[in-house]
Amino acid sequence: MNITSLIEKINGGNNPFFKEIYGNDQAILKEQADRYTKYINEFKSIYGTDDVMLLSSPGRTEVGGNHTDHQLGRVLAGAVNLDNIAVAAANNTNTVRITSVGFDPFEVDLSELEVTEFKLTPGNIVRTIAKEIKALGFEVSGFDAVIHGCVPEGSGLSSSASFEVLIGAIFSNLFNAGKLDPVDNAKIGQKAEHACKKFCGLMDQTACAVGGFITIDFADKANPVVKALDFDFAKTGYSLVITNTGGSHGGLDEEYNSLPGEMKAVAKELGQEVLRPLSMEDVVKGIPTIREKVGDRAILRAIHFQSDNARVVDQVAALEADKFQEFLGMVIDSGSSSYMYNQNIFVGGETKHQNVALALAMSELVLKGKGAWRVHGGGFAGTIQAFVPNDLLDEYISTLESVFGEGNCHKLFIRSKGAVQVKL
């Protein structure tokens, strides 16, 4: 669409599509309108093209199933309103040229799609996505794009997955009339990371690509079952708040690797590769025999997996039945299980710095009986998640930010759309 026409249709944020993906807050809508207008004009100044397409790809939040995916379990996740956006246009060449705000511009020659240096770089991501889209029988061709991200890195909201499925959406909408299936887009994003020797699961890309609340069952590793839930989060009167509690994930590889490692050790002693084929009864019956071999923490983590994996089914049922308060109770139960059994709230032996634990305690003090709170993502450091009644939102944010710093609470909602063309 012509740039002048696009800016007119954006209309200062007062348009139906913006309200669907960013909410009804007039200040936020105006901020988004200014953002799009800025990067539309930047695109024109860099590439000189006047006919462009707008696209948006959300970040994601894990809602249920903490450390269940690597045991082929179930997860519940949602797309959030913090996103990556792209201003893009076909350039009638065989080269992709991307200016990503805050990063060095790069180009990819689409005649050379093999990854030879196994580093997770934007160029390698684009290269692999193009290769996999072609393998599905779709067209790929050169395009120019300016990309701007509002998904904070290190927030646990999956800025990388959001970027990956945004690239897939650009190829899909520019050259294939938007026909790339969202789940296929997610699988392609995962393959892009695997090609660079980063062996992630599929939850992040799927939530970003599909949108809304989704649940994924990884029992069949090659063909996970993805289900979108019909639930309107906006009507609940709650906001989702992700708080960055500080602390670095650097140097914590041993802690993170111990989680799947110990769970798999329990599974192996009980005759399986992972915990999913086992039941809670199997784990409990096996404790006397395996305890000395695997250790108590490994058993506790296996108990967490069994309870949190089953809990996802109940959380989905509560949302589908519009029983939001029941759902919130299970969010708290999931968080308690992570704390008591999975033990990924702080590093063992560390007494002075327990950022995540402190944030959870403060959340309970403000929200007890009126909301829900839990660790968000991998744990040990980083972020927590809270569902906050809107009438307590200011108090909650001011309380948490008084300790963890202004700007470290991100007010979000679950948006219904995944990686899409912005149609005005």
Side-chain angles (χ1 to χ4, degrees):
M1 183 180 291
N2 174 272
I3 282 177
T4 303
S5 298
L6 262 181
I7 293 174
E8 287 178 358
K9 287 182 177 292
I10 288 173
N11 191 28
N14 188 26
N15 65 78
F17 201 98
F18 267 39
K19 290 179 180 178
E20 187 169 359
I21 61 176
Y22 299 118
N24 293 313
D25 186 305
Q26 291 301 312
I28 292 174
L29 290 170
K30 176 63 165 57
E31 181 181 294
Q32 291 298 331
D34 292 344
R35 176 191 180 204
Y36 276 80
T37 301
K38 176 180 179 179
Y39 293 111
I40 288 170
N41 288 326
E42 184 164 324
F43 178 95
K44 186 173 183 180
S45 70
I46 295 171
Y47 298 111
T49 306
D50 193 52
D51 187 17
V52 300
M53 177 182 289
L54 305 180
L55 302 102
S56 166
S57 176
R60 75 96 186 102
T61 182
E62 170 204 285
V63 179
N66 188 230
H67 283 282
T68 52
D69 56 340
H70 51 66
Q71 300 300 299
L72 304 187
R74 306 178 185 95
V75 297
L76 174 63
V80 299
N81 52 305
L82 292 180
D83 64 349
N84 283 294
I85 64 169
V87 184
N91 60 22
N92 301 313
T93 73
N94 207 34
T95 302
V96 170
R97 303 185 297 182
I98 294 179
T99 300
S100 189
V101 178
F103 300 90
D104 293 333
F106 66 95
E107 297 185 2
V108 173
D109 183 348
L110 295 177
S111 64
E112 300 175 2
L113 296 182
E114 293 299 323
V115 173
T116 56
E117 189 177 5
F118 301 110
K119 292 183 178 179
L120 190 63
T121 65
N124 279 342
I125 288 171
V126 172
R127 196 169 284 113
T128 306
I129 289 172
K131 177 183 177 181
E132 296 297 333
I133 288 177
K134 284 184 71 174
L136 290 178
F138 291 107
E139 180 184 347
V140 299
S141 188
F143 64 83
D144 299 325
V146 170
I147 293 175
H148 178 257
C150 278
V151 184
E153 290 188 53
S155 64
L157 297 174
S158 292
S159 56
S160 58
S162 177
F163 175 81
E164 289 152 14
V165 300
L166 178 64
I167 298 300
I170 293 173
F171 279 121
S172 177
N173 287 280
L174 278 182
F175 307 115
N176 299 283
K179 292 181 180 178
L180 178 64
D181 180 80
V183 176
D184 286 336
N185 189 11
K187 291 178 179 178
I188 288 169
Q190 181 194 38
K191 287 180 179 179
E193 297 209 21
H194 286 192
C196 301
K197 307 300 183 184
K198 182 181 179 184
F199 297 105
C200 62
L202 189 61
M203 175 180 69
D204 296 355
Q205 289 85 357
T206 306
C208 295
V210 175
F213 275 113
I214 63 163
T215 184
I216 312 173
D217 189 334
F218 291 102
D220 182 348
K221 188 176 182 179
N223 297 288
V225 177
V226 180
K227 178 184 178 183
L229 307 187
D230 182 16
F231 182 82
D232 184 1
F233 180 72
K235 72 181 182 183
T236 63
Y238 282 74
S239 292
L240 176 64
V241 180
I242 302 294
T243 299
N244 182 359
T245 71
S248 171
H249 291 140
L252 294 178
D253 287 352
E254 184 176 346
E255 297 290 343
Y256 290 120
N257 291 338
S258 72
L259 287 156
E262 290 183 7
M263 290 185 188
K264 288 178 180 178
V266 172
K268 183 178 179 181
E269 292 297 328
L270 297 177
Q272 300 290 340
E273 291 186 7
V274 294
L275 290 171
R276 179 61 187 273
L278 301 167
S279 66
M280 182 73 85
E281 184 180 10
D282 293 329
V283 173
V284 173
K285 281 185 175 181
I287 291 174
T289 304
I290 70 173
R291 184 181 176 194
E292 290 303 316
K293 295 180 181 179
V294 301
D296 290 345
R297 188 175 71 173
I299 293 170
L300 289 167
R301 285 174 166 172
I303 290 171
H304 163 77
F305 168 81
Q306 295 297 346
S307 61
D308 224 33
N309 187 53
R311 189 177 290 112
V312 169
V313 177
D314 295 333
Q315 287 180 302
V316 169
L319 289 174
E320 290 182 326
D322 202 22
K323 296 179 178 178
F324 191 65
Q325 292 302 316
E326 287 186 18
F327 163 77
L328 291 180
M330 286 183 273
V331 171
I332 294 173
D333 291 342
S334 175
S336 296
S337 181
S338 292
Y339 207 140
M340 295 170 60
Y341 305 133
N342 208 36
Q343 298 183 27
N344 61 326
I345 304 303
F346 53 86
V347 176
E350 176 62 72
T351 58
K352 187 173 182 180
H353 301 291
Q354 297 188 8
N355 299 27
V356 173
L358 180 59
L360 292 171
M362 296 178 69
S363 297
E364 183 173 15
L365 290 171
V366 178
L367 299 177
K368 190 169 186 178
K370 297 181 181 179
W373 53 94
R374 70 191 284 271
V375 66
H376 184 242
F380 299 112
T383 57
I384 69 158
Q385 172 191 91
F387 290 89
V388 182
N390 288 333
D391 61 353
L392 286 177
L393 193 58
D394 290 343
E395 179 185 352
Y396 180 81
I397 290 175
S398 65
T399 300
L400 272 289
E401 289 192 344
S402 71
V403 174
F404 300 107
E406 187 175 349
N408 279 316
C409 286
H410 303 285
K411 173 190 168 185
L412 311 174
F413 67 86
I414 305 297
R415 83 177 211 184
S416 62
K417 292 188 180 298
V420 292
Q421 180 184 352
V422 177
K423 296 181 178 180
L424 300 172

